[in-house]
Amino acid sequence: PRGRQAKAILADLRRAVTSDQLVIPLPRALQVGEDDIAAWLAGPTPAPAPSPPPAAQTPPGPQAPSATAAGRAVRERGTPAGPLLDAVRGFLDDHADDDVVVEWRVAE
């Protein structure tokens, strides 16, 4: 709701700036926009997101992560994906009984 309100305020201002002064007088539109922004800022703030549940305790003993329980790989532009996919498959095979997080992003 607040995002839509902000978007509507900006759309009204954008329309006023791009319209003919005879259709929408700019000084009046700016004053209305300023009033709308002040009201929007004074409005209710969204409730904070609930806290995540506490993490499960890892039992002591042989289930502790090993030094090879993490990895990272980069596929350079134009290189085949096969070696990287093989590394991920191998890691997943080595940790078949574990939860594994796989993330990716494009390097800038």
Side-chain angles (χ1 to χ4, degrees), residues 12-94:
D12 290 345
L13 287 170
R14 197 173 290 115
R15 191 175 315 108
V17 169
T18 59
S19 293
D20 187 306
Q21 281 282 330
L22 295 175
V23 177
I24 302 176
L26 188 57
R28 174 72 182 131
L30 291 174
Q31 182 61 51
V32 169
E34 185 176 339
D35 293 344
D36 289 348
I37 290 169
W40 181 82
L41 289 171
T45 56
S51 299
Q57 297 296 322
T58 303
Q63 296 179 359
S66 67
T68 60
R72 182 176 185 272
V74 175
R75 184 189 66 94
E76 305 260 336
R77 180 181 312 143
T79 61
L84 180 126
L85 295 174
D86 291 341
V88 172
R89 282 187 192 100
F91 186 84
L92 292 172
D93 290 344
D94 291 346

